């Protein structure tokens, strides 16, 4: 079976403003861009009853069996979007975990983009928005990743003007849980 290679780019918030709080989550406005730092995803169809997901690389150490990618596959299977196809997925983690760079969310978004591009799933905009929100609040940002403005009402405005910035990413040896923050 053919193995596909997908780059899953990290996102960064160039600006972030907390505008209030809904029932559980804070309402935020943010200017988002994507950087060259990326995880590598290797994907191939397998003839098994279950998906196989493996994490390797420098930042793979504490990723559990329940994660954004396995959640995505579970939801796609429940809705039979994959038509009973199963996949082996190996993710080389180059994006630090708990760094606020959306590593796991962008992995899930990159897989969704791949499945749509290869016509493995057929999904309308409303179903896509619902699916991504079930996986994580920032997964939708990785669907057609580009410079974006996330508005406090949850809408996303794409920013088409090219921005050239140089970013130095410094990650301390500890992480912060978004839920905790």
């Amino acid at each position: 079976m053919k193995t596909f290679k997908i780059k899953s780019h990290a996102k960064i918030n160039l600006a972030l403003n907390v505008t209030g709080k809904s029932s559980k989550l804070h309402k935020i406005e943010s200017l988002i861009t994507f950087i060259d730092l990326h995880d590598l995803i290797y994907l191939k169809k397998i003839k098994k009853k279950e998906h196989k997901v493996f994490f390797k690389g420098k930042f793979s150490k504490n990723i559990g069996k329940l994660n954004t990618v396995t959640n995505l596959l579970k939801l796609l299977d429940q809705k039979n979007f994959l038509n009973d196809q199963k996949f082996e997925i190996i993710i080389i983690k180059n994006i630090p975990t708990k760094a606020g760079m959306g590593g796991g969310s962008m992995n899930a978004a990159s897989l969704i983009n791949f499945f749509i591009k290869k016509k493995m799933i057929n999904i309308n905009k409303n179903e896509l928005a619902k699916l991504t929100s079930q996986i994580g609040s920032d997964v939708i940002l990785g669907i057609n990743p580009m410079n974006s403005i996330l508005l406090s009402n949850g809408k996303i405005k794409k920013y088409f003007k090219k921005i050239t910035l140089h970013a130095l990413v410094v990650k301390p040896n500890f992480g912060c849980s978004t839920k905790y923050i």
Side-chain angles (χ1 to χ4, degrees):
M1 301 260 169
K2 183 175 181 180
T3 300
F4 295 93
K5 179 180 171 182
I6 304 165
K7 287 183 180 179
S8 178
H9 289 271
K11 72 165 182 65
I12 57 172
N13 297 312
L14 297 175
L16 181 75
N17 184 28
V18 178
T19 62
K21 189 172 183 178
S22 62
S23 60
K24 288 186 178 181
L25 302 172
H26 284 91
K27 293 181 182 179
I28 64 167
E29 293 178 332
S30 183
L31 176 60
I32 295 136
T33 193
F34 292 82
I35 60 176
D36 288 336
L37 179 63
H38 60 271
D39 291 340
L40 288 172
I41 303 173
Y42 295 93
L43 170 117
K44 70 178 178 181
K45 286 185 193 177
I46 57 174
K47 293 183 180 186
K48 303 276 183 182
K49 292 185 178 188
E50 301 281 327
H51 298 286
K52 303 290 182 192
V53 179
F54 304 98
F55 293 92
K56 297 181 179 184
K58 185 175 181 180
F59 299 105
S60 64
K61 187 177 179 182
N62 294 317
I63 300 173
K65 290 195 181 292
L66 294 176
N67 53 69
T68 55
V69 171
T70 57
N71 289 343
L72 167 64
L73 295 170
K74 181 180 170 186
L75 288 167
L76 292 175
D77 285 345
Q78 285 174 354
K79 298 173 188 300
N80 201 29
F81 279 139
L82 293 174
N83 298 314
D84 295 321
Q85 296 177 90
K86 301 299 180 197
F87 295 92
E88 178 182 272
I89 299 171
I90 299 171
I91 302 174
I92 311 299
K93 294 298 295 176
N94 298 312
I95 301 170
T97 56
K98 296 187 178 182
M101 301 174 83
S105 296
M106 295 310 106
N107 291 165
S110 297
L111 285 167
I112 293 168
N113 288 332
F114 174 82
F115 291 142
I116 291 170
K117 181 181 173 187
K118 294 293 184 182
K119 299 185 180 350
M120 291 180 180
I121 63 172
N122 185 14
I123 189 168
N124 66 42
K125 283 185 179 183
N126 290 336
E127 288 175 315
L128 182 59
K130 186 178 176 186
L131 175 69
T132 58
S133 70
Q134 289 176 296
I135 302 162
S137 60
D138 60 347
V139 174
I140 193 69
L141 298 169
I143 303 298
N144 301 318
M146 61 188 325
N147 298 330
S148 305
I149 301 170
L150 175 62
L151 304 171
S152 60
N153 63 3
K155 302 264 188 227
I156 299 169
K157 184 177 180 182
K158 297 294 184 180
Y159 190 74
F160 295 98
K161 186 175 180 184
K162 181 143 175 80
I163 303 172
T164 303
L165 299 171
H166 299 279
L168 172 64
V169 178
V170 179
K171 167 68 171 85
N173 62 0
F174 61 89
C176 298
S177 163
T178 303
K179 186 177 180 179
Y180 176 76
I181 297 281

